[in-house]
């Protein structure tokens, strides 16, 4: 295991901890992981697991083969500019999980000519069921792409896109997607209560149904549309619900919401990248 790349997480918040937790669960050596933060006390649990902890980002960069930028997007410019001399000296692979910060901005802040991967993760990474969209700039080698996949697959699925703007579509599908499902669950629980179920029963049934439907779709060799058709018996109960959803414009509502998400991602990138 000593041949594993040394990782430095700049920031030790929820997303960094989700990735770290997945790596450790998959046997990644804790000694090969650095974490940085503003206070060592907040990383005491990570240190107890055998990781290196520091408040000095430059020290972590100097030790790392791969640097994962996991600070809030609004703080990333200042953090990256302060790290730039160390990044230029040591030339690690940079992986950014900061939403909305374009490669051009990161490259400029870090001094240019760097191998850089942008990642759009999502919150189910916290339970190792995440979905990550990845984009690599031309300086990223085949080996570095493999290493990035290994790191991000620790939290779930990791898929590459060919063009950076496609990450805005990834944001609309999976980055923000968990909230769409939570809203649907919320509505189903409320409707279940109105139909006479207790809140607890309605909630348990809703969550288990969502879990089961997702697992069926994941394991199936047919598309979700076909799975839906198979559940809808002619003139049956499910068909009546689906007809109502369709007649009231649910597919269009979802499309419009995802387009709004996509458009907002582009606006945020312009604002945060200045």
């Amino acid at each position: 295991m000593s041949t594993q790349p040394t990782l430095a997480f700049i920031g030790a918040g929820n997303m960094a901890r989700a990735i770290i937790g997945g790596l450790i669960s998959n046997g990644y050596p804790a000694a090969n992981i650095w974490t940085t933060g503003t206070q060592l006390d907040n990383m005491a649990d990570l240190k107890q697991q055998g990781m290196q902890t520091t408040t000095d980002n430059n020290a972590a960069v100097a030790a790392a083969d791969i640097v994962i930028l996991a600070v809030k997007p609004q703080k990333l410019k200042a953090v990256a500019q302060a790290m730039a001399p160390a990044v230029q000296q040591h030339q690690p692979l940079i992986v950014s999980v900061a939403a909305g910060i374009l490669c051009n901005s990161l490259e400029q802040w870090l001094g240019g000519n760097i191998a850089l991967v942008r990642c759009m993760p999502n919150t189910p990474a916290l339970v190792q069921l995440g979905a990550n969209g990845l984009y690599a700039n031309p300086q990223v080698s085949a080996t570095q792409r493999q290493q990035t996949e290994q790191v991000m697959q620790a939290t779930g699925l990791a898929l590459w896109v060919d063009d950076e703007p496609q990450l805005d579509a990834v944001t609309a599908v999976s980055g923000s997607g968990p909230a769409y499902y939570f809203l649907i669950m919320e509505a189903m629980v409320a409707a279940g209560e109105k139909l006479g179920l207790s809140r607890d029963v309605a909630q348990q049934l809703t969550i288990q149904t969502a879990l089961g439907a997702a697992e069926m779709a994941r394991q199936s060799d047919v598309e979700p549309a076909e799975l839906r058709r198979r559940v809808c018996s002619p003139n049956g109960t499910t068909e009546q619900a689906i007809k109502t959803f369709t007649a009231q414009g649910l597919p269009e509502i979802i499309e419009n919401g995802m387009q709004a998400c996509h458009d907002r991602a582009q606006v945020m990138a312009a604002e945060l990248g200045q």
Side-chain angles (χ1 to χ4, degrees):
M1 298 296 285
S2 60
T3 59
Q4 296 280 22
T6 298
L7 311 177
F9 287 84
I10 308 302
N14 286 341
M15 189 53 65
R17 286 173 177 270
I19 300 169
I20 291 167
L23 289 165
I24 296 298
S25 295
N26 289 330
Y28 208 91
N32 285 34
I33 299 175
W34 285 66
T35 61
T36 76
T38 55
Q39 293 183 319
L40 287 175
D41 289 350
N42 294 338
M43 299 180 288
D45 59 317
L46 300 174
K47 187 174 181 63
Q48 288 174 354
Q49 294 178 61
M51 295 168 221
Q52 309 287 332
T53 60
T54 181
T55 58
D56 185 349
N57 290 342
N58 291 336
V61 169
D65 301 300
I66 302 174
V67 173
I68 297 97
L69 301 176
V71 299
K72 293 185 185 304
Q74 295 82 355
K75 297 181 178 180
L76 186 52
K77 182 177 182 179
V79 170
Q81 288 177 331
M83 287 169 41
V87 169
Q88 288 298 314
Q89 181 179 353
H90 299 285
Q91 292 290 308
L93 169 66
I94 304 293
V95 178
S96 172
V97 297
I101 307 293
L102 299 177
C103 285
N104 282 343
S105 298
L106 283 166
E107 289 169 4
Q108 181 181 346
W109 299 340
L110 292 168
N113 192 34
I114 56 170
L116 172 63
V117 173
R118 268 190 69 197
C119 174
M120 182 65 232
N122 66 3
T123 53
L126 294 166
V127 292
Q128 297 180 36
L129 288 171
N132 302 282
L134 304 172
Y135 168 75
N137 76 355
Q139 288 92 324
V140 176
S141 69
T143 297
Q144 289 173 325
R145 286 173 72 102
Q146 281 186 324
Q147 291 171 337
T148 305
E149 276 188 42
Q150 179 188 15
V151 171
M152 299 315 301
Q153 283 175 349
T155 68
L157 183 70
L159 299 175
W160 294 94
V161 297
D162 295 327
D163 302 301
E164 187 176 11
Q166 290 180 309
L167 287 180
D168 293 329
V170 172
T171 300
V173 174
S174 57
S176 299
Y180 314 158
Y181 289 104
F182 295 146
L183 177 61
I184 291 170
M185 290 183 199
E186 185 183 347
M188 288 178 65
V189 171
E193 280 190 280
K194 285 185 177 179
L195 293 169
L197 298 175
S198 71
R199 183 168 187 81
D200 178 62
V201 168
Q203 183 158 305
Q204 287 195 58
L205 290 174
T206 296
I207 292 170
Q208 183 67 19
T209 300
L211 179 65
E215 186 61 19
M216 280 184 69
R218 190 183 71 85
Q219 291 190 21
S220 178
D221 58 356
V222 300
E223 294 187 356
E226 175 58 24
L227 292 176
R228 171 181 56 77
R229 283 192 287 270
R230 291 177 183 180
V231 180
C232 292
S233 303
N235 299 314
T237 57
T238 310
E239 184 184 69
Q240 290 305 304
I242 297 298
K243 281 183 174 180
T244 301
F245 293 148
T246 303
Q248 295 190 13
L250 181 60
E252 292 78 17
I253 289 169
I254 292 171
E255 180 182 350
N256 292 340
M258 291 175 65
Q259 184 68 52
C261 177
H262 173 275
D263 295 347
R264 179 58 184 160
Q266 293 184 328
V267 172
M268 288 178 63
E271 293 173 348
L272 294 169
Q274 295 176 358

